[in-house]
């Protein structure tokens, strides 16, 4: 890594003004067996206008950011309790520092791998997924999903090679009664060499941090 000195100042939010805010909306449309939904959300100034100064090129600065997410979903119900669907999701993190703060989003470092490490978790990226939910009889429901995530873009708009991922899942739900069901699933994420997407959410999570290029496999069984 070729370190360079890059001192930043922080005008920030010394007065303690309320700069953080979140907003979003959802649009839904249903006609016959076809359904569509669009979700949009933005979390602005997640650090409430504050940043930290850095005096060496070996450490990335902590900068205030705004996070935007949007999702478009389409579904077709081909039988009662059975449908196929497509989802396009986009996620973007932007720096919100003013030019007067003399803050740059990425330190000058040598080598693509080092630069990717600086951008880890801060990205512009999109994914496409297709899935199916199929009902068998009155008690059994089968699920399958495939997701392809594209390469992330860094803060100069350049695509980072080998920074996508591929994931798939299969699962089943068997209803023992109106209030009790057994569920199970097998989930896989295959990260490219410069990505570290993790399994998290829905009341289950793996470890908080994983290495670049990691493959994850999770098998789950539960009673609801």
């Amino acid at each position: 890594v070729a370190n360079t000195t890059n001192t930043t100042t922080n005008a920030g939010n010394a007065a303690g003004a309320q700069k953080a805010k979140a907003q979003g909306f959802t649009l839904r449309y249903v006609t016959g067996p076809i359904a569509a939904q669009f979700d949009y959300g933005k979390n602005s100034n997640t650090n409430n206008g504050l940043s930290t100064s850095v005096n060496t090129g070996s450490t990335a600065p902590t900068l205030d950011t705004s996070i935007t997410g949007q999702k478009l979903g389409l579904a077709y119900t081909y039988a009662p309790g059975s449908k196929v669907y497509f989802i396009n999701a986009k996620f973007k993190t932007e720096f919100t520092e003013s030019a007067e703060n003399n803050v740059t989003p990425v330190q000058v470092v040598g080598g693509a791998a080092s630069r990717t490490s600086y951008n880890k978790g801060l990205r512009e990226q999109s994914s496409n997924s297709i899935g199916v939910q199929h009902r068998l009889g009155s008690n059994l429901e089968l699920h399958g999903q495939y997701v392809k995530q594209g390469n992330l873009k860094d803060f100069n708009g350049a695509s980072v090679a080998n920074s996508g991922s591929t994931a798939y899942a299969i699962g089943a739900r068997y209803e023992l009664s109106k209030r009790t069901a057994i569920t199970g699933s097998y989930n896989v994420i295959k990260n490219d060499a410069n990505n570290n997407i993790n399994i998290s959410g829905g009341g289950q999570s793996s470890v908080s941090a994983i290495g670049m290029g990691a493959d994850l496999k999770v098998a789950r069984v539960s009673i609801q």
Side-chain angles (χ1 to χ4, degrees), residues 65-125:
T65 58
S66 288
I67 302 172
T68 304
Q70 64 183 56
K71 182 172 63 176
L72 173 64
L74 302 172
Y76 177 76
T77 300
Y78 59 87
S82 302
K83 62 183 176 181
V84 293
Y85 58 87
F86 166 82
I87 299 174
N88 172 263
K90 295 181 180 180
F91 179 86
K92 185 176 183 180
T93 300
E94 299 173 284
F95 290 106
T96 57
E97 306 308 308
S98 62
E100 303 86 68
N101 286 350
N102 190 31
V103 175
T104 54
V106 180
Q107 298 285 56
V108 179
V109 297
S114 298
R115 182 180 182 123
T116 301
S117 297
Y118 280 95
N119 288 337
K120 185 169 60 178
L122 301 175
R123 63 187 67 196
E124 178 180 354
Q125 204 160 21

Side-chain angles (χ1 to χ4, degrees), residues 6 8 17 51 58-59 84 94 97 108 127 129 131-132 164 174 192 206 223:
N6 185 12
T8 67
S51 299
S58 63
T59 305
V84 293
E94 299 173 284
E97 306 308 308
V108 179
S127 65
S129 64
V132 60
Y174 184 80
D192 293 344
S206 60
I223 297 178

Side-chain angles (χ1 to χ4, degrees), residues 41-180:
K42 184 169 184 178
N43 192 351
S44 301
N45 297 319
T46 59
N47 292 334
N48 203 36
L50 296 176
S51 299
T52 58
S53 298
V54 174
N55 296 312
T56 173
S58 63
T59 305
T62 300
L63 305 177
D64 199 17
T65 58
S66 288
I67 302 172
T68 304
Q70 64 183 56
K71 182 172 63 176
L72 173 64
L74 302 172
Y76 177 76
T77 300
Y78 59 87
S82 302
K83 62 183 176 181
V84 293
Y85 58 87
F86 166 82
I87 299 174
N88 172 263
K90 295 181 180 180
F91 179 86
K92 185 176 183 180
T93 300
E94 299 173 284
F95 290 106
T96 57
E97 306 308 308
S98 62
E100 303 86 68
N101 286 350
N102 190 31
V103 175
T104 54
V106 180
Q107 298 285 56
V108 179
V109 297
S114 298
R115 182 180 182 123
T116 301
S117 297
Y118 280 95
N119 288 337
K120 185 169 60 178
L122 301 175
R123 63 187 67 196
E124 178 180 354
Q125 204 160 21
S126 62
S127 65
N128 291 301
S129 64
I130 57 175
V132 60
Q133 171 186 311
H134 185 71
R135 190 79 176 182
L136 287 176
S138 59
N139 298 88
L140 181 60
E141 193 174 86
L142 303 178
H143 293 262
Q145 187 177 28
Y146 173 84
V147 183
K148 179 63 178 177
Q149 184 183 51
N151 286 339
L152 69 88
K153 292 182 180 179
D154 67 18
F155 295 111
N156 291 323
S159 176
V160 179
N162 300 316
S163 60
S165 67
T166 302
Y168 61 86
I170 56 175
R173 172 186 172 91
Y174 184 80
E175 297 169 354
L176 299 174
S177 67
K178 292 183 179 180
R179 297 182 177 88
T180 305

